Amino acid sequence: MSDTLSRVPGGAEAPSDFIRDAIRQDLRDGRFDRVHTRFPPEPNAYLHIGHAKAIWIDYGIAREFGGLFNLRFDDTNPLKEEQEFVDAIIEDVRWLGADFGDRLFFGSDYFEQMFTWAVQLIEKGKAYVCDLSPEQMRETRGTLTSPGTDSPFRERSVEENLDLFTRMRAGDFPDGTRTLRAKIDMASPNLVMRDPVMYRIRHASHHRTGDTWSIYPSYDWAHGLEDSIEGITHSLCSLEYEIHRPLYDWFLDELGIYHPRQIEFGRLGLSYTVMSKRRFVELVDGGFVQGYDDPRMPTLAGMRRRGYRPEAIWDFCERAGVGGRADVTIDAHVLEDCVRVDLNKVSRRLFAVLNPIKVVLLNVPEGETRWIEAVNNPEDPEAGTRKVPFTREIYIERDDFRKEPPPKFHRLYPGNEVRLRYACFITCVEVIEDADGEIVELHATIDPETWSGDAPDGRKPKGTIHWVSAEHGVEFEARLFDHLFGVPDPDDVPEGGSYLDNLNPDSLRVVHGIAEPTIRELTPEDRVQFERVGYFCLDRDSASGRLVLNRTVSLKDSWAKIEKAQASGQKG
RNA sequence: UGCCCGAUAGCUCAAUUGGCAGAGCGCCUGACUCUGGAUCAGGAGGUUCCAGGUUCGAGCCCUGGUCGGGCAGCCA
C-alpha cells in the first residue's frame, strides 16, 4: 500500500466499495492526483432520500480523500427550472451537513464557454445543424433493433453550419425548427450515440440568464463540460447514465479538454413509498399529502419536518452502502431504526399521554402539588433534570390499564401495583364505568413509603408507567404518521391498477394528548421522546395556545409484539 | 427478438487477486432494567437463479438458458 495514500483520510481505514477502490486505483496510477466531486441536481424538484445517498457518496468521498466537493445546479432547461427549487435544494444540502464552502456553481454560468466549444466541434466537422422536426428525428433514429438513417443535413458545410448555429443563438428561428447535433454514428447499437442533440432552440426565460439565450445545451453536451470546467476528478452519478458514458467521453475527447471520470452507482429506493418527481406532484396535487414537506413524504424537507436528524440519514446511507452496480430498495424499517438509534441519544424525555384515562389517587390530598424530579435524558447525564408536578388526579395511557389482564400484562389492573415513573407505587382499587360499561375513571392508592423509588420491604412492581397531572397537564395535537403506502412496493398492483390504490388510508391519524407543562418550552423542530410512546417533533403549525407535535417514529413496542404472538398463538 | 446491467438467508445487501458463504433488519430463547424502551447473550434460517465447462479448488472465470431492470426526449 502506498504510504501517501494511507495517510490521507480514505486511504487505509476508510470503507471499501467499488467506487472508492476505483478512485484509489486512479490515484495510484496517476490518472488523478487529487479527488474532487460534485453533486449536480437539476433545480426542478425537491430533494429526496435517494439524493441523500448521492450526496453521501459525493461529499463523503471528497472528505475521506481530503478533496473538494461542489454543489452545482445543472440548469440547462429553462422550461422546468425555478429559483424556488434552487433555494430549497441549497437549504436541504446545508441541512444535511454536506459542506460545499463557497463552491456553489451553476451550469448556466458556463453557457458562453459551451457555445465556444460547440463552434470548435462544428469547425472540426463533428457537429452540424439539423433541420429535422422532432417527429422526423424520432423516425430516423431507428429502433432498439434497427439502425437509424443519416439526417439529410448531416453533410452541410462548416460555413453553413456556423452561420445557422450563430443565427440559432441570435433567435432567428422558432422553437423546435433546428438543433445542433453531434456527428457520431446513426448505426450505433447505443442509441445515445446516434447523433445526439447538443442544442435546442427555446425562446424561454431562464431563472438565471433571463432572455439572453434562445438556445440551450442538452444534458449530454453540458454535463461533461461542467465537470471539466470545475476540475472534477470523479463524476459520480446513478446507473441510468451508464449508457451515456461513451458520449460523455466522446465530447471531452473530441474537444481535447480536461477529462474527468464518470462512475455510476445504483439508485436508492425505500419501501412503502414512491420516489419520483412525477409522483410527488401527483401526491401533492391530488391532495393525498399536504405538500412536498409533508412529514410522510420521503423528501428531505418532509423528513426534517417529521423530526429526522441528518445524522440518522447519514447512518441510513452508510447502512445501505454503495453496494454493487444495481439499484437497491431498502426496507423503510431500517430507516426508522436509524432514526430511533439517533434520537435515543439526544432527545429530552417528556411525559405525555396520547389516549388518557383519569386516575384518582384516593390517599393524596386534594389541592396538593408535589414536584417530582425527573431525568431529562438517561442517555446523557448532562441534560440534567426537571420538575414534574404530581397531584391527586392524574392521567395515564388507556392502554396501560386492563380490567382483565391478559397473560404477561404487567401494567395496571384491578388489585395490581405498578410504579409511576419517578414517583411512587400505586395500586388500582376500583374501576368506574358508565352505563355502557365504558371505563371512565380509575381509583387507586399510593404507597407513601415508596417515594424514594424503593419499597421498605424490597418489593418491585413489574411494570412502570408514565403519567401526567390532570391539573397541570397541557393539551396538544399529535399527528401520528404511518407509511404512506400500505404495501412495501406501491407498484405491486393488479393489471390496470394504480400505485395510488395502495395508498394507506391511515397514514395520518390525529389525536389529542395531554403532556407535562415542559412541553410549552418547545420551539419548532425541537425533538423529544414521550417516554414509552415515541419520538415527537414540534411542528411549525404550532401557534400560541395550540401545540402540534409530529410523531417522528414510535418506540419499539415489545408488548404489542407479545400480544400479537398471543393472538396468533390462540388460533394456531 | 439489438445493446447494457442484475439474480447470494424471510427482507435489504456484503464477500480482497478464485481459498471453510457473512452483516443489518426481522424472527425465536434467555438475562437485565424505575421507559415491556435502551442494552447484553444465545438460536433457527442457504441447492449463492438453472444447466454445462475450466480449475486442486468457483458466489467469483467461460458457454448456453431462465427471470427481472434500463435504453428509441429537442428531459436530466
Side-chain angles (χ1 to χ4, degrees):
Chain A
M1 297 295 135
S2 149
D3 301 315
T4 14
L5 220 51
S6 58
R7 256 187 260 115
V8 301
E13 320 298 335
S16 180
D17 53 63
F18 77 95
I19 295 178
R20 279 169 244 254
D21 289 348
I23 292 174
R24 284 189 196 99
Q25 193 64 48
D26 286 344
L27 260 16
R28 270 194 293 270
D29 295 348
R31 177 169 178 177
F32 298 106
D33 57 4
R34 70 209 155 79
V35 172
H36 195 159
T37 62
R38 102 269 92 118
F39 175 61
E42 182 189 16
N44 72 338
Y46 284 83
L47 260 28
H48 54 64
I49 186 82
H51 294 111
K53 174 185 178 177
I55 295 168
W56 172 71
I57 291 175
D58 292 326
Y59 174 65
I61 284 179
R63 200 180 44 179
E64 278 169 39
F65 285 87
L68 297 173
F69 166 74
N70 294 359
L71 172 60
R72 179 178 73 228
F73 287 94
D74 202 1
D75 53 351
T76 57
N77 185 352
L79 263 29
K80 301 182 145 192
E81 296 148 8
E82 296 167 27
Q83 187 61 39
E84 173 200 347
F85 293 121
V86 170
D87 299 337
I89 289 170
I90 290 174
E91 193 182 339
D92 284 344
V93 174
R94 286 222 169 97
W95 176 73
L96 269 184
D99 180 17
F100 50 87
D102 59 357
R103 287 180 303 285
L104 169 64
F105 301 108
F106 293 84
S108 52
D109 287 347
Y110 314 140
F111 281 174
E112 192 62 50
Q113 174 65 258
M114 292 176 190
F115 183 85
T116 302
W117 277 327
V119 168
Q120 274 180 33
L121 240 40
I122 292 173
E123 287 169 342
K124 206 180 160 190
K126 296 292 186 176
Y128 63 97
V129 172
C130 179
D131 301 356
L132 255 27
S133 69
E135 298 73 37
Q136 291 170 318
M137 200 180 288
R138 177 162 23 85
E139 286 158 11
T140 53
R141 184 159 25 235
T143 69
L144 295 176
T145 54
S146 63
T149 51
D150 287 356
S151 162
F153 307 97
R154 203 169 196 258
E155 300 306 329
R156 278 218 249 240
S157 68
V158 169
E159 292 67 33
E160 189 181 5
N161 279 324
L162 251 19
D163 173 58
L164 254 16
F165 187 47
T166 306
R167 289 170 60 195
M168 277 169 65
R169 173 177 184 169
D172 288 358
F173 311 117
D175 287 5
T177 52
R178 277 176 236 263
T179 57
L180 183 73
R181 291 226 256 170
K183 191 190 286 187
I184 307 181
D185 177 10
M186 288 307 292
S188 171
N190 182 351
L191 291 276
V192 170
M193 300 297 274
R194 318 242 264 225
D195 288 11
V197 169
M198 295 166 59
Y199 279 93
R200 69 283 213 190
I201 300 171
R202 283 235 212 294
H203 293 272
S205 192
H206 185 277
H207 70 104
R208 300 201 92 226
T209 60
D211 297 319
T212 61
W213 290 87
S214 48
I215 55 172
Y216 290 92
S218 65
Y219 166 85
D220 284 312
W221 168 243
H223 203 87
L225 305 185
E226 294 165 3
D227 287 340
S228 183
I229 290 168
E230 294 178 14
I232 300 301
T233 55
H234 298 272
S235 181
L236 311 175
C237 59
S238 47
L239 245 24
E240 61 205 287
Y241 294 105
E242 189 171 17
I243 199 164
H244 293 253
R245 193 173 63 227
L247 182 52
Y248 181 98
D249 292 334
W250 190 90
F251 282 132
L252 262 13
D253 287 341
E254 289 297 335
L255 255 16
I257 59 178
Y258 170 74
H259 193 153
R261 193 224 294 209
Q262 172 177 310
I263 302 176
E264 310 83 16
F265 56 83
R267 276 182 175 238
L268 173 66
L270 240 202
S271 65
Y272 294 99
T273 191
V274 292
M275 205 77 84
S276 74
K277 155 157 175 134
R278 198 192 91 235
R279 287 176 168 186
F280 286 175
V281 171
E282 286 170 0
L283 289 169
V284 172
D285 289 354
F288 302 110
V289 295
Q290 282 159 18
Y292 293 98
D293 65 348
D294 186 297
R296 291 167 292 181
M297 292 284 273
T299 53
L300 296 183
M303 295 191 290
R304 185 190 336 167
R305 189 170 175 190
R306 177 142 170 182
Y308 291 12
R309 300 171 76 225
E311 286 83 347
I313 292 171
W314 285 138
D315 182 32
F316 176 68
C317 291
E318 229 158 273
R319 289 202 217 180
V322 173
R325 296 158 203 272
D327 292 341
V328 299
T329 300
I330 307 289
D331 198 313
H333 300 293
V334 175
L335 212 207
E336 287 163 12
D337 191 60
C338 293
V339 173
R340 284 192 192 97
V341 167
D342 175 52
L343 258 20
N344 177 51
K345 294 178 309 201
V346 299
S347 299
R348 288 181 53 184
R349 313 282 121 134
L350 240 59
F351 285 167
V353 173
L354 295 186
N355 185 12
I357 181 170
K358 185 180 280 188
V359 180
V360 179
L361 302 168
L362 301 176
N363 56 343
V364 172
E366 282 184 52
E368 179 184 292
T369 299
R370 187 176 180 122
W371 291 85
I372 312 282
E373 185 164 52
V375 174
N376 282 334
N377 183 355
E379 304 287 321
D380 176 17
E382 297 197 355
T385 60
R386 69 186 185 283
K387 298 285 193 184
V388 182
F390 179 90
T391 54
R392 173 181 167 91
E393 295 192 350
I394 60 173
Y395 290 109
I396 67 168
E397 208 71 64
R398 193 166 279 266
D399 283 350
D400 282 338
F401 175 81
R402 289 296 166 82
K403 194 175 169 188
E404 290 164 12
K408 293 189 182 174
F409 186 83
H410 297 148
R411 282 121 83 151
L412 200 62
Y413 53 87
N416 191 42
E417 182 177 60
V418 298
R419 178 196 302 277
L420 291 184
R421 175 146 237 235
Y422 295 128
C424 58
F425 298 177
I426 66 167
T427 302
C428 175
V429 296
E430 194 180 357
V431 181
I432 314 294
E433 299 174 329
D434 65 14
D436 301 326
E438 187 81 8
I439 299 170
V440 294
E441 192 174 291
L442 302 172
H443 287 177
T445 56
I446 72 164
D447 180 348
E449 304 296 314
T450 57
W451 283 109
S452 68
D454 297 311
D457 61 4
R459 70 181 195 283
K460 289 183 185 241
K462 287 200 145 181
T464 298
I465 64 174
H466 58 102
W467 52 274
V468 171
S469 160
E471 185 187 333
H472 302 266
V474 177
E475 202 177 315
F476 67 97
E477 174 181 321
R479 297 177 179 167
L480 309 180
F481 303 108
D482 197 354
H483 300 309
L484 230 198
F485 291 86
V487 296
D489 176 11
D491 277 321
D492 183 13
V493 286
E495 193 64 33
S498 159
Y499 73 102
L500 292 171
D501 300 340
N502 281 322
L503 240 15
N504 174 11
D506 298 317
S507 61
L508 170 60
R509 207 155 53 84
V510 177
V511 301
H512 292 274
I514 297 175
E516 61 169 275
T518 318
I519 196 173
R520 288 211 185 87
E521 298 169 9
L522 301 179
T523 58
E525 288 196 20
D526 274 355
R527 306 170 182 88
V528 292
Q529 182 200 97
F530 289 158
E531 294 219 20
R532 300 209 311 133
V533 176
Y535 296 96
F536 286 75
C537 174
L538 192 77
D539 191 82
R540 58 150 190 263
D541 283 351
S542 300
S544 56
R546 177 162 180 258
L547 292 169
V548 179
L549 282 285
N550 296 322
R551 184 173 68 190
T552 309
V553 65
S554 65
L555 292 178
K556 286 183 192 169
D557 190 349
S558 47
W559 166 247
K561 214 155 76 180
I562 293 171
E563 243 189 342
K564 210 170 120 190
Q566 285 176 356
S568 65
Q570 277 167 12
K571 64 173 163 59

